[in-house]
Amino acid sequence: MSHAPFDTQAALQAVLASWAERRWLRPLDAAFADFLWREVPDAPPFLILAAALASHQLGRGHACLDLAATLQAPALALSLPPEGEEGRDVLATTEPPPLPAEVLAGWSLDRWQAALDHPLLVGCGAGDTPLVRVGPRLYLRRYWQYEQDVHRAIERRLARSATLQAALPLDILRPILDGLFPPAAAGEAGASWQKMACALAACSGFCILTGGPGTGKTTTVVRLLALLQALALAAPLAGEPPRPLRIRLAAPTGKAAARLNESIAGVVTRLSLAGFEQAEAVRAAIPVKVSTLHRLLGNRPDSRHFHHHAGHPLALDVLVIDEASMIDLEMMAAVLAALPASARLILLGDKDQLASVEAGAVLGELCRHARAGRYTPATRDWLAAASGERIDESLVDEAGSALAQTVVMLRHSYRFSAASGIGQLAEAVNAGDAVRVSEVWRHTHADLALLPLDAADETRFAALVIDGAVAGPGANPAPPAGLAQTAFRYGYRHYLTTLSEARPSSVANQNAIDDWARRVLRAHGQFQVLCALRRGPWGVASLNQRIARVLCAAALIPASAGWYPGRPVLVTRNDYGLGLMNGDIGITLALPPAADQETKLRVAFPAGDAGQGIKWILPSRLQAVETAYVLTVHKSQGSEFGHVALVLPATPSPILTRELLYTGITRARAFLTLVMPGPSRLLDVIVQRQVLRASGLLAE
């Protein structure tokens, strides 16, 4: 059906209203367009269209609207209409709205940019206009400012690297590095990237350590902190007495913070410091407590502002942030603003995981060339002198940027062997190689299973979620080589059986009750169902209800709704009063009653510190939780599980990308079951679809 031209206010208002009605646009996007038209009635219609689309893209994680990409492929760039959009059948009797390609037909980039030439609404830099245009990129001003702030703050820190490197005494640095990384412990073929990462970080005000699961990021950062503390105690700044550095550890979410908390404490305890003159002083100076970024900065309720900022910086010398792929543009700007000029910032994360839920893909952009290295000959030579390690010449580039010299990609996986199906699958997905993905599935791997499953197949679905079973020959095979023989493809029966069989008696003391909770929580971590979507038959809400019914029918839980023993819950919003963070998972338990008391329900959460404490919370005090038999892949970031069942939807969706699939795969420590309700070719589509967020953070 043909439509009239859309270059009048009335025509375009009608288009935006129809898109909002169909939920192609958010109410916020449409309201923003209406606001601009009320404020500036003579604004060109295609300026208002661009503003609405810039707001729309922000909601999809893009920092800006890329005008050129939008004109080249409107449906792809904007995801309009959304694949599998809800509500289309409800409005089937109404005339379908025009597609973006129809609205933009006949428009060139020059013509669209000319329409944006309005001094009241669009600026080209600093000012007070609501929109900023930089070449083909259109920003909401606030996000342009965030991008500028991040870019400049990183450049300032990179500029300090030459000074720090010149002041670093190699005669002290080299022996410390050799002590932390003895040849026998390197465990890598070729150069020790862990050792080189520590050397580069020691001479940088800004450093990134990226790598896939099991590449030793936590181990490396602990050795790096030992190195920095040893240097501070052995070679203090001129005129200053020796003192340990003030180091803080942080992560974007409570779950990620708790996980780092647990892992880093163990690494610090086991760290060999033989030969160090002040070994115990160095060990004592390595922190093990991890906080969320919100708590570190001091969030103010109902405000975008923090207690710590440029005018009131953090009191620290080094800040380490784990799971940095989850940091959005706004939060990164806040972190950098709150750092003292002399402080070091060290980011840890997997550049190939999902980007932040909010706008921006900061870590991914900063690590754009991590695999290629692009180290300058000067960096190569300095690393050889400082660490004894030599970078392969294929990773050397005369034109390497200052940023490239501070990014290190850890390349050796200690978790997945060369024979691991999970490792091979993750690598193939990450490379976008659909052919290799198919080859992985054609070979038999003990740690992989592909389960075709339609919505009506309750038998195989129940077998999977109850016992982790994969129907057909070879169900629950022996564990992969290299794993403990006790490894097993568990389902949810495991933690529910642990809950009932390990339940303490009515006379048990608190220590025994806490130990029971720890056992249940550990058992629960052996299996987790993940999915891509929140809605629909293969979304988190429907699957949680379905699994609860299955477990109830099997008499493993007493009810399928409300509060009941065995219900796992996910915290969806930070609750500083209770000490719970977004992403925390707890299990509902019925406390053993005393002789004259009724059974009491409490939700047990890991305390989230370096110890093994348990936090007991009344269900009535939990205001922002949801059942957690199923998590979205986004919510699972920062977590790992023994066996992961990754459920894909039956039809394509914009959210199904290579990054999502890779992130879901790498949540599995020992076993992965990929559940495919739809056609197998959907996997090829996902593998070849990459998240490309519009941004100008590293634009020339």
Side-chain angles (χ1 to χ4, degrees), residues 418-494:
S420 165
I422 296 174
Q424 292 181 43
L425 182 63
E427 190 175 320
V429 167
N430 199 15
D433 192 336
V435 175
R436 262 183 78 200
V437 169
S438 298
E439 289 175 354
V440 172
W441 287 117
R442 279 199 298 271
H443 291 80
T444 301
H445 294 282
D447 56 349
L448 285 182
L450 185 63
L451 182 62
L453 189 68
D454 60 51
D457 194 341
E458 202 67 11
T459 300
R460 288 201 294 177
F461 180 79
L464 172 66
V465 300
I466 293 175
D467 293 312
V470 179
N476 291 337
L483 283 178
Q485 292 303 302
T486 55
F488 192 78
R489 199 187 297 268
Y490 288 113
Y492 285 135
R493 185 193 300 273
H494 177 53

Side-chain angles (χ1 to χ4, degrees), residues 595-627:
D596 58 343
Q597 295 180 333
E598 296 182 358
T599 299
K600 298 176 182 177
L601 289 181
R602 296 290 187 275
V603 185
F605 291 91
D609 53 24
Q612 295 290 310
I614 296 294
K615 192 176 297 182
W616 296 93
I617 308 293
L618 276 167
S620 59
R621 298 190 67 192
L622 294 169
Q623 302 302 310
V625 294
E626 58 188 39
T627 302

Side-chain angles (χ1 to χ4, degrees), residues 184-415:
E188 300 181 21
S192 170
W193 284 100
Q194 293 188 5
K195 190 176 185 180
M196 289 192 291
C198 289
L200 282 176
C203 68
S204 304
F206 177 78
C207 184
I208 300 176
L209 274 63
T210 186
T215 52
K217 294 187 292 292
T218 302
T219 300
T220 303
V221 82
V222 168
R223 292 179 179 179
L224 169 58
L225 298 181
L227 168 64
L228 293 176
Q229 293 292 25
L231 288 170
L233 294 172
L237 296 175
E240 294 187 11
R243 67 167 181 85
L245 298 172
R246 298 168 299 172
I247 300 174
R248 296 292 302 273
L249 309 176
T253 67
K255 184 67 177 178
R259 184 165 166 264
L260 179 61
N261 216 111
E262 295 164 3
S263 59
I264 206 165
V267 176
V268 171
T269 302
R270 296 189 302 270
L271 180 64
S272 175
L273 296 173
F276 279 55
E277 291 184 7
Q278 304 182 65
E280 291 313 308
V282 169
R283 192 187 311 275
I286 302 173
V288 296
K289 184 178 180 180
V290 187
S291 67
T292 64
L293 287 174
H294 282 86
R295 176 163 283 178
L296 175 74
L297 295 178
N299 74 303
R300 295 177 174 176
D302 304 318
S303 171
R304 305 181 80 99
H305 303 291
F306 295 97
H307 180 67
H308 290 287
H309 48 77
H312 184 215
L314 293 159
L316 52 77
D317 301 303
V318 181
L319 175 60
V320 178
I321 304 178
D322 195 22
E323 297 291 349
S325 64
M326 302 168 67
I327 305 176
D328 60 85
L329 184 61
E330 182 177 4
M331 176 56 77
M332 184 61 76
V335 168
L336 287 164
L339 280 181
S342 60
R344 301 172 190 263
L345 176 60
I346 301 165
L347 302 181
L348 310 178
D350 186 346
K351 68 179 181 65
D352 298 311
Q353 282 192 27
L354 284 167
S356 58
V357 175
E358 303 298 328
V362 179
L363 186 73
E365 285 194 80
L366 296 175
C367 296
R368 186 186 300 170
H369 303 302
R371 189 173 294 277
R374 296 192 174 181
Y375 300 109
T376 63
T379 297
R380 174 200 61 199
D381 296 342
W382 184 86
L383 275 173
S387 69
E389 303 291 333
R390 205 140 180 105
I391 295 173
D392 189 275
E393 287 301 314
S394 65
L395 303 177
V396 178
D397 183 351
E398 291 261 5
S401 66
L403 174 64
Q405 314 315 301
T406 66
V407 178
V408 179
M409 180 176 173
L410 303 180
R411 301 164 188 259
H412 177 78
S413 177
Y414 298 88
R415 180 185 304 172

Side-chain angles (χ1 to χ4, degrees), residues 564-575:
Y564 53 84
R567 181 191 177 193
V569 294
L570 172 77
V571 178
T572 59
R573 188 174 66 239
N574 291 345
D575 188 327

